[in-house]
Amino acid sequence: MYRNDGANAGPSGSFVEGDPIAGVPPTEVSGPWLTETQEEIAGVIEGAGLVLAKGNNTQLRQAIGLVAARRNVFKNWLLNGGPQVAQRGVDSAAAGAARYSSCDRWLVYPGGGTGAARTVGQVGSTPTEQELTRWRGAMFWQQTIAASTTAPYLAQRIEGTAGLSATKVTASFFAKLTALSSGTTVVLTPSMIQNFGSGGSAAVTVLASNITLTMGGALARFSATFDLASIIGKTVSQETDYTEFRLTGPTGVTFTVSFTGLQVELGAVPTEFEVRSVAQELVLCRRYYEVSYGGTASAWFHSASNAGSVAEDRGEVSGWDAVTLARALQRPFQMAKRAAPTMVWYSPVTGAAGNIYWEGADRAVVSTNGASAASTGFPGVAVSRAGSQVRAHWTADAEL
């Protein structure tokens, strides 16, 4: 880009109207200057992933909005791609709805039908592959036979749809097939799903070519590139919309796949996996899920059963209170949540969910009062208690 340098230009390339009566000629508007100006504007629009459209006078504004929304501190749009954070501990479940696994931010659907189940967790033994050692984390997906056509999947929901709208993205990961009930290969289908939230437009799914893992093969890197649609013209519920990266597996077989180095980035070429520290990943993951202790809900105190968790053991929360509201248990979160979370309280003595320990026994929690994105709020019980120590653990879930 350059300032107009046509004949008779004013100071700093300004345009002069001219005055025929006084004999002052107007500024010449040259073809090269018009062409460069056009290409500067078109470059912004096309660079945002939009297609130039005659008669549409809003495209530059749309493009600027998309570019602004796409700003991301990190190259990798996935969280816990190592994966190094496991606040929930070991997790397994039978067939049913998708739910979040032990490895933070990773959602797993086991498939429908009789016999469908899955377990997802961190790889417990020291990996031998150099990549796993370097990134300090790996995740296994153990899937058992699903006697239906509903396919299982592993996924992560990236908050919002504007940031990756109308652009090309590449997903990549390292994987190794470590167990298989029959055959020699497992086929995974990568996809990106633009979900516009509750009450929003219908979701848009973009599929990539299948990826084949072979039993006995070494840890290898795989990638898939997607052209994501523009959200211009879509109805978006901005508090519940997300862009989901999904790996869909086969039905009818039992398999175990180990993953590490999962990444979604802008562009058509996979680049080196972005390594973030455990502390960074933990802070980012706590926007969606946080616990008051260092392990799982069933292992409600810090012990050998949850010592591998990277969430530091902050211990139980406690205070002194009376009557029915345990206001002393309210605490600020380590990281502000995406939205006001669902709070689950646990007795630190028995581990019972939906209970706090007050006046020497477990007391059922009947309400959580004042929970917000910034703090836990405080639990209430049905029957008034005498002034005494009240104790609890909690989980705060604000996942998409």
Side-chain angles (χ1 to χ4, degrees):
M1 186 70 189
Y2 66 98
R3 288 189 171 89
N4 172 50
D5 62 355
N8 307 313
S12 301
S14 60
F15 293 89
V16 177
E17 292 184 359
D19 186 345
I21 297 176
V24 178
T27 300
E28 176 189 0
V29 181
S30 67
W33 184 84
L34 287 173
T35 299
E36 287 212 19
T37 302
Q38 168 187 278
E39 292 309 304
E40 286 280 353
I41 297 171
V44 174
I45 295 170
E46 292 182 322
L50 300 175
V51 177
L52 294 174
K54 188 175 182 178
N56 188 339
N57 298 324
T58 68
Q59 287 193 291
L60 180 59
R61 175 173 57 81
Q62 293 175 15
I64 293 171
L66 289 172
V67 170
R70 200 166 288 152
R71 289 180 298 177
N72 195 22
V73 175
F74 300 104
K75 173 177 70 175
N76 188 0
W77 287 71
L78 297 177
L79 302 184
N80 202 27
Q84 304 172 77
V85 179
Q87 294 186 88
R88 292 176 177 86
V90 176
D91 175 65
S92 63
R99 68 181 230 176
Y100 281 91
S101 71
S102 58
C103 292
D104 277 44
R105 302 273 28 247
W106 290 101
L107 181 72
V108 184
Y109 174 62
T114 305
R118 61 95 179 94
T119 301
V120 174
Q122 288 181 305
V123 173
S125 58
T126 302
T128 57
E129 288 84 359
Q130 181 180 359
E131 290 85 359
L132 300 189
T133 303
R134 176 182 178 187
W135 295 327
R136 307 189 211 95
M139 170 174 59
F140 67 86
W141 175 18
Q142 185 180 69
Q143 177 71 35
T144 60
I145 294 173
S148 80
T149 57
T150 307
Y153 62 77
L154 176 73
Q156 183 169 144
R157 294 173 176 174
I158 302 166
E159 186 177 351
T161 50
L164 295 176
S165 167
T167 190
K168 189 183 294 289
V169 300
T170 296
S172 58
F173 58 90
F174 286 78
K176 181 178 182 179
L177 180 61
T178 58
L180 183 61
S181 61
S182 62
T184 59
T185 61
V186 161
V187 175
L188 301 179
T189 302
S191 62
M192 296 289 290
I193 303 169
Q194 293 168 293
N195 188 304
F196 301 107
S198 176
S201 298
V204 176
T205 300
V206 182
L207 298 172
S209 299
N210 289 340
I211 290 172
T212 301
L213 306 181
T214 303
M215 188 64 194
L219 183 77
R221 196 181 196 193
F222 303 89
S223 66
T225 300
F226 307 86
D227 288 304
L228 299 184
S230 172
I231 66 168
I232 302 300
K234 301 291 186 182
T235 300
V236 180
S237 176
Q238 295 184 345
E239 292 187 0
T240 57
D241 65 316
Y242 57 84
T243 305
E244 179 176 314
F245 167 59
R246 180 181 292 189
L247 291 171
T248 302
T251 61
V253 294
T254 297
F255 62 86
T256 303
V257 179
S258 294
F259 294 94
T260 193
L262 298 109
Q263 181 161 278
V264 168
E265 60 187 305
L266 301 179
V269 179
T271 62
E272 184 179 3
F273 176 69
E274 180 179 50
V275 180
R276 297 192 288 252
S277 70
V278 176
Q280 285 176 311
E281 293 287 5
L282 180 57
V283 167
L284 295 171
C285 288
R286 278 178 169 165
R287 175 169 170 78
Y288 306 92
Y289 186 81
E290 186 177 337
V291 298
S292 62
Y293 48 87
T296 68
S298 59
W300 36 266
F301 55 92
H302 191 72
S303 68
S305 64
N306 62 23
S309 171
V310 299
E312 73 272 17
D313 184 7
R314 293 168 57 199
E316 67 180 57
V317 293
S318 64
W320 188 273
D321 241 315
V323 197
T324 61
L325 298 179
R327 298 178 185 273
L329 294 182
Q330 181 164 353
R331 294 292 188 277
F333 292 125
Q334 296 290 305
M335 174 67 173
K337 302 292 169 280
R338 178 190 66 85
T342 299
M343 296 296 304
V344 179
W345 300 89
Y346 295 88
S347 165
V349 177
T350 67
N355 284 265
I356 58 177
Y357 195 78
W358 199 356
E359 202 181 349
D362 283 1
R363 310 295 175 182
V365 175
V366 297
S367 65
T368 295
N369 308 272
S372 70
S375 67
T376 64
F378 49 89
V381 297
V383 180
S384 293
R385 314 313 320 171
S388 60
Q389 186 182 41
V390 58
R391 302 160 56 191
H393 287 304
W394 51 259
T395 61
D397 191 336
E399 284 287 5
L400 288 158

